[in-house]
Amino acid sequence: MSAPESGLTAAAKGNIELVETFRAEFDRSPSVLWSAPGRVNLIGEHVDYNGGRVLPFAIQHRCYVAAAGTSDGTVTIRSRQFPDETVRAAIADLKPGGSADPLGTRQPQGFGGWASYVFGVIWALGQVGVNVPPLDVIVDGRVPVGAGLSSSAALECAAVGAICEMAEADIDGPQRAAIAQWAENDFVGVPCGLMDQMASTCAHADHALLFDTYDQHSEQIPLAASVAGYEFLVIDTGAAHGLVDGEYARRRTACEDAARLLGVRFLREIADRGPDESDALLSGIGDTVLRRRASHVVSEIIRVDSAVDALKSGDWGRLGALMYASHRSLRDDFEVSSVQLDTAVEALLSAGALGARLTGAGFGGSVVALLEASRVESAAGAVTASFAAAGFVAPAACVAVASQGARREILDG
Ligand code: GLA
């Protein structure tokens, strides 16, 4: 099992390496360095585009963005993960739907067009009147890519922080998250909700972020699992996860169709009517698939509230039961699980987890489980054994540490 990227030492070492890479690539030091984390969602899945509440926490894996101004009129972006690629564009040429590489220097490989997340942020900042100067940028993405842990939100949110500082734009956390989401929706073309960017920007260490996507209210909920002898174990199934292939957008459209049928703007409004009335309304949806999609959303929104109560009262058994109920609903009604995710969840429960569920969009990616600390190693081993028996690629495991959202990093070295 991989150790968490531990504390200051590893992070500080990584920052020094990033500054050195910047100097080697661009012949001068960066003037700003920001980082932003990936996230694990504890519960509240596929509800952020339905006006629901979500309960993610930021994890210890972060993406780093270093930048300095340049006089050549363009933005040049490099990545420590893709050292052979240089992507360059003139700011005025950045348009949604356009190439991420308007000057045609070199198309980015892998990372799903990684540079377009940074270009999208520059474009979105321009739309809200921020005058972004020409820049040289280096990205160091240390959030596993394709694991459902929001590596893209981490990149966007670190980029927003760094570029706002370069542009001397004073923009608060929730607005920075919204700009990052706008970049992903309109520039990159993924119709995600706001959960990942809010977690990556606004989460506090040792807390989960309860974010209500209906009224944008957020509350920091203390996450004292390790104090109570529990840990959140994350299993990356290694099975590809991607949102651009249409399934995520199809789920979103189904929810919008169900809301329209029920005469509301968001399915959240059905959850607010209470269990009896919402059950009656849901059973009136004639189309079976739409009914099951809407049932997941409504029941999940109710589960988030119960999970917050469980966390506040230290009822870990109840939290675990809610996590597994969420997984079953995502598997059976929302149909976003996969055989690897289900295998991991069942292996974790057999190994004594109080609860386990897919986290993030699903269709591959990661599982989060709640376990007594003493069972973490053996449970991770049980998942590895069950994957080997099924002939799946070996999963990766780590204990998730609730970490701080986007921040300015100290530049030295
Ligand atoms: C992805 C999206 C989020 C959210 C989750 C599912 O992570 O980016 O906005 O919809 O899927 O809960």
Side-chain angles (χ1 to χ4, degrees):
M1 191 167 70
S2 76
E5 190 186 333
S6 65
L8 280 177
T9 329
K13 184 166 163 279
N15 293 354
I16 292 166
E17 286 168 4
L18 178 56
V19 170
E20 281 167 0
T21 308
F22 196 100
R23 285 192 188 128
E25 299 292 344
F26 294 119
D27 238 4
R28 64 198 190 289
S29 296
S31 47
V32 299
L33 173 57
W34 275 70
S35 74
R39 63 96 191 91
V40 158
N41 188 20
L42 257 189
I43 197 160
E45 219 63 86
H46 287 278
V47 303
D48 66 342
Y49 50 85
N50 288 296
R53 279 179 285 270
V54 292
L55 193 62
F57 65 91
I59 57 175
Q60 65 271 29
H61 303 289
R62 307 180 76 86
C63 179
Y64 295 76
V65 170
T70 171
S71 53
D72 75 358
T74 62
V75 175
T76 301
I77 312 178
R78 309 208 59 179
S79 161
R80 289 197 79 208
Q81 282 66 46
F82 301 96
D84 297 337
E85 297 171 15
T86 301
V87 191
R88 183 170 298 133
I91 294 176
D93 290 343
L94 296 175
K95 292 190 181 57
S99 162
D101 190 16
L103 297 189
T105 42
R106 195 145 178 184
Q107 284 300 330
Q109 308 283 320
F111 215 97
W114 56 272
S116 62
Y117 294 94
V118 182
F119 285 133
V121 160
I122 294 171
W123 167 80
L125 283 167
Q127 300 302 298
V128 296
V130 173
N131 193 7
V132 177
L135 296 169
D136 290 334
V137 177
I138 290 199
V139 169
D140 188 2
R142 303 183 211 161
V143 182
V145 173
L149 300 175
S150 290
S151 57
S152 35
L155 171 53
E156 292 151 8
C157 295
V160 174
I163 295 165
C164 282
E165 186 181 339
M166 290 292 310
E168 295 178 6
D170 186 16
I171 298 182
D172 71 16
Q175 282 178 299
R176 278 189 274 130
I179 285 164
Q181 182 204 18
W182 195 10
E184 183 148 351
N185 286 171
D186 286 14
F187 196 92
V188 181
V190 176
C192 62
L194 186 52
M195 169 173 76
D196 304 343
Q197 293 79 7
M198 274 300 290
S200 185
T201 302
C202 298
H204 289 187
D206 303 321
H207 289 74
L209 180 77
L210 176 62
F211 175 56
D212 189 329
T213 61
Y214 198 76
D215 61 11
Q216 312 278 297
H217 178 78
S218 56
E219 183 185 342
Q220 305 286 340
I221 309 288
L223 200 57
S226 34
V227 179
Y230 297 96
E231 298 289 0
F232 292 106
L233 176 65
V234 173
I235 304 284
D236 172 5
T237 62
H241 148 99
L243 301 188
V244 203
D245 65 2
E247 281 302 320
Y248 181 89
R250 270 194 279 285
R251 294 302 182 285
R252 191 168 175 152
T253 304
C255 293
E256 287 160 4
D257 290 347
R260 204 171 307 113
L261 268 176
L262 295 170
V264 292
R265 184 148 172 253
F266 293 112
L267 289 173
R268 153 70 179 278
E269 293 157 38
I270 302 298
D272 282 349
R273 307 252 177 108
D276 294 342
E277 196 181 336
S278 63
D279 280 356
L281 287 166
L282 290 170
S283 59
I285 302 179
D287 181 297
T288 320
V289 171
L290 278 195
R291 185 168 66 242
R292 283 170 33 225
R293 302 290 188 255
S295 294
H296 161 72
V297 171
V298 170
S299 64
E300 183 80 350
I301 289 171
I302 294 166
R303 275 189 292 274
V304 172
D305 294 342
S306 307
V308 171
D309 290 344
L311 264 181
K312 286 183 172 169
S313 60
D315 189 345
W316 301 100
R318 172 115 186 91
L319 178 63
L322 289 160
M323 290 169 72
Y324 186 45
S326 167
H327 184 76
R328 292 197 307 272
S329 177
L330 287 159
R331 181 191 65 197
D332 301 336
D333 284 340
F334 217 63
E335 294 182 284
V336 292
S337 192
S338 69
V339 61
Q340 287 91 345
L341 290 164
D342 293 342
T343 302
V345 164
E346 296 307 326
L348 287 158
L349 292 171
S350 302
L354 280 73
R357 59 183 292 278
L358 72 84
T359 186
F363 316 109
S366 293
V367 160
V368 58
L370 173 62
L371 288 141
E372 283 169 27
S374 59
R375 292 181 188 249
V376 162
E377 286 287 343
S378 59
V383 178
T384 303
S386 68
F387 270 45
F392 302 151
V393 296
C398 81
V399 168
V401 179
S403 303
Q404 190 191 329
R407 66 180 176 223
R408 181 177 203 276
E409 299 282 337
I410 294 166
L411 265 175
D412 54 15

